[in-house]
Amino acid sequence: MKNIITLFLITMTIINGFSQEEFSKDIILHKDSEFNEKSINSVLNRKSFNTWSLSANSGYNMPAGPFTVGYYSAKPNYITSPMVNHFDINLRKMFNTKFGLMLGLGYDHISNAGKSMPFSNNLYSSNLQAVINVHQVLNWEEFTHTFGLQLHFGPGLSFLQSQVVESSSRFYKAKDFSVDNMYSIVTGATILVKVSDHLALNIDYTINKNFSQQLNFDGKTNADLRNNATSIIYSAGAGVTFYLGKKDIHADWFSESKSEKTDDLLARLDILEAKLRDVSKNLIAVKLEQSKKVKVDNSKIINNTVTGNENVTNVQARNMINSQYVNVFFDFDKSTVSTGSISAINFLLKYLKENPESKLEVIGYADELGDTSYNKKLSQIRANNVADIIIKSGIDASRLTIIAKGEDDSVPKESEVARQLVRRVIFKIN
């Protein structure tokens, strides 16, 4: 919302003192200049990011069963007996900064431990998972640009390869296979630690739940082959993520801070402002000259319309003022009206003189820098100074109401350019 207001204020500044028709015509006149779609696109392209990444992890697994009685797997202890029996590699595509898809391949070695009967089997897995960048969803960039958190979830296929396949029950014969195909549901979480724009460290914890399993992890067949078993295997690992692409940053870490969003909006308008600056000066001069030559006859004020050389309705002029087309701006910590705002005051005076029954609210603002009470007083002084100019120009003081609003927090405080836009006095016709 603040960015929309910022864009609005900048636009109002550029066309200050002009009607919408004049502004539109000027754009048309300059449609062949450097201000064109290509120029705007070059600004927007700076916001793009890489979407592909490749990660590799290694660590350990902990099967939770099923195991045949007398068999169990290793429970790693990285202090006394470190071991690595899990590997995975993942290719990920982000559709935006928050959501993506990941294709994964994994390998787990499952073997006996302690007093278990010996066995040594391999588990191969593949999966396709949805990925959520939690840190992007929750806007962690407001307090960190180094740590991230991802959640992943999706279906998969697992293949348990056994060296020895035997029946675990005398009532059922061993099946003639050495690979057990299983359906899987995979879910997990990954902690990211950004090293650079193209590299991150990651720590992952994943739960793989298998269905339709007919082999125990030790290689024995299930007790009843008519009832397929389910199993769970936990895995934890650490590794690296390589960010692919030619852009400066990946979607995992791309963020638009409040100031960056505002700067993007300003960059888009800088192109326009540069082309309109000289033209605007000329139009102001022409408009002021025309206003001096126009003699308004009260008999010509019909249906709230001023006729003559300029056919401008008072309703249109009032709407321009109340919509903040007309603003008076100030330098930082100053209460002196900037020279660039003279045309705005002249436009306002012209309306007030042509509409002697109208009342005017003079509303002062300050930016958010500094003490709140001080800024409140500063906004009051700014409004008073503008009101003094209006009164000295022939407008009765009884028609004016002076209001001090203090700080305007409608734009990002971090942006210097945005703060310039709220150090202002606006007007409201009643």
Side-chain angles (χ1 to χ4, degrees):
M1 186 63 182
K2 288 186 177 182
N3 299 320
I4 296 175
I5 295 173
T6 302
L7 180 60
F8 175 78
L9 290 174
I10 299 172
T11 305
M12 296 304 100
T13 304
I14 295 174
I15 62 176
N16 199 2
F18 303 99
S19 69
Q20 295 177 357
E21 295 178 46
E22 288 172 320
F23 181 71
S24 300
K25 290 178 181 177
D26 194 52
I27 292 294
I28 294 173
L29 290 173
H30 290 80
K31 65 181 180 179
D32 294 327
S33 68
E34 294 179 9
F35 172 64
N36 51 36
E37 185 177 356
K38 183 177 180 180
S39 300
I40 291 295
N41 286 339
S42 65
V43 174
L44 296 178
N45 286 338
R46 296 185 308 198
K47 299 174 59 177
S48 58
F49 43 78
N50 295 318
T51 58
W52 288 95
S53 65
L54 183 67
S55 63
N57 300 288
S58 62
Y60 64 90
N61 63 59
M62 294 183 293
F67 286 98
T68 306
V69 176
Y71 292 81
Y72 55 89
S73 184
K75 293 184 178 180
N77 187 327
Y78 276 97
I79 298 177
T80 59
S81 56
M83 61 181 300
V84 176
N85 56 11
H86 169 83
F87 302 91
D88 65 72
I89 186 170
N90 306 278
L91 180 65
R92 177 162 54 92
K93 164 71 175 179
M94 297 301 295
F95 301 114
N96 50 48
T97 59
K98 299 178 177 66
F99 305 103
L101 280 178
M102 180 172 66
L103 177 65
L105 298 175
Y107 166 78
D108 290 274
H109 181 68
I110 305 173
S111 59
N112 60 284
K115 297 180 180 180
S116 169
M117 297 291 290
F119 69 92
S120 179
N121 298 324
N122 298 318
L123 180 69
Y124 303 93
S125 60
S126 62
N127 56 74
L128 181 63
Q129 301 181 70
V131 178
I132 302 175
N133 271 336
V134 177
H135 58 287
Q136 293 280 31
V137 175
L138 300 181
N139 297 320
W140 285 14
E141 69 272 10
E142 294 183 0
F143 59 88
T144 179
H145 293 279
T146 303
F147 297 96
L149 175 64
Q150 292 180 338
L151 298 180
H152 50 89
F153 176 86
L157 293 174
S158 297
F159 311 92
L160 178 60
Q161 183 182 52
S162 176
Q163 297 179 0
V164 179
V165 181
E166 300 176 357
S167 175
S168 61
S169 170
R170 64 185 179 87
F171 298 104
Y172 299 96
K173 296 181 179 180
K175 293 191 70 173
D176 186 18
F177 59 73
S178 61
V179 176
D180 190 1
N181 303 325
M182 299 169 284
Y183 303 104
S184 305
I185 293 294
V186 184
T187 184
T190 304
I191 297 175
L192 297 173
V193 181
K194 183 182 177 183
V195 177
S196 70
D197 290 335
H198 295 279
L199 180 68
L201 303 179
N202 39 265
I203 302 173
D204 180 78
Y205 182 78
T206 296
I207 302 174
N208 195 320
K209 186 173 181 62
N210 299 312
F211 300 89
S212 186
Q213 183 167 341
Q214 295 181 338
L215 281 179
N216 293 336
F217 283 124
D218 51 81
K220 306 295 184 181
T221 57
N222 239 345
D224 187 345
L225 296 180
R226 295 171 299 178
N227 298 320
N228 296 326
T230 60
S231 66
I232 296 179
I233 182 169
Y234 305 95
S235 61
V240 294
T241 295
F242 300 97
Y243 294 120
L244 311 177
K246 297 181 179 180
K247 303 297 174 59
D248 292 335
I249 197 167
H250 188 267
D252 288 352
W253 307 105
F254 178 83
S255 65
E256 287 185 292
S257 65
K258 293 179 181 178
S259 60
E260 288 173 337
K261 290 178 181 179
T262 303
D263 290 342
D264 283 334
L265 295 174
L266 297 177
R268 298 177 62 166
L269 286 171
D270 279 345
I271 303 170
L272 172 61
E273 187 177 17
K275 290 300 175 184
L276 290 181
R277 189 175 292 112
D278 293 336
V279 176
S280 297
K281 292 179 180 178
N282 294 334
L283 287 176
I284 290 173
V286 171
K287 191 171 186 67
L288 290 176
E289 186 65 25
Q290 289 176 344
S291 65
K292 295 177 182 178
K293 295 179 180 180
V294 174
K295 296 181 179 180
V296 181
D297 187 347
N298 290 336
S299 63
K300 293 184 179 181
I301 301 179
I302 305 173
N303 296 327
N304 204 32
T305 300
V306 180
T307 60
N309 293 337
E310 293 181 342
N311 188 25
V312 179
T313 66
N314 288 328
V315 172
Q316 182 184 22
R318 183 174 66 249
N319 288 341
M320 291 174 63
I321 295 170
N322 289 345
S323 298
Q324 299 179 26
Y325 276 67
V326 180
N327 298 274
V328 176
F329 294 98
F330 301 82
D331 293 331
F332 175 70
D333 199 27
K334 302 294 182 182
S335 57
T336 305
V337 175
S338 64
T339 56
S341 298
I342 299 302
S343 61
I345 296 177
N346 287 333
F347 183 88
L348 181 68
L349 289 171
K350 186 173 184 293
Y351 176 86
L352 292 174
K353 291 177 180 179
E354 293 175 353
N355 297 271
E357 300 301 320
S358 63
K359 304 289 186 180
L360 178 69
E361 291 182 5
V362 182
I363 307 170
Y365 286 95
D367 62 31
E368 293 183 85
L369 295 184
D371 182 71
T372 302
S373 60
Y374 175 83
N375 289 333
K376 179 77 171 181
K377 294 177 183 179
L378 180 60
S379 68
Q380 179 74 56
I381 297 173
R382 287 171 173 171
N384 289 339
N385 288 348
V386 174
D388 287 342
I389 294 175
I390 296 174
I391 294 170
K392 291 178 180 178
S393 299
I395 304 300
D396 194 289
S398 62
R399 297 173 61 186
L400 306 184
T401 301
I402 301 174
I403 301 173
K405 287 287 190 178
E407 295 178 352
D408 186 337
D409 60 357
S410 62
V411 300
K413 180 180 179 180
E414 301 84 357
S415 173
E416 180 181 355
V417 178
R419 292 196 305 271
Q420 293 176 359
L421 300 176
V422 296
R423 297 195 292 264
R424 72 196 195 282
V425 167
I426 65 173
F427 307 97
K428 182 178 180 181
I429 300 292
N430 296 317

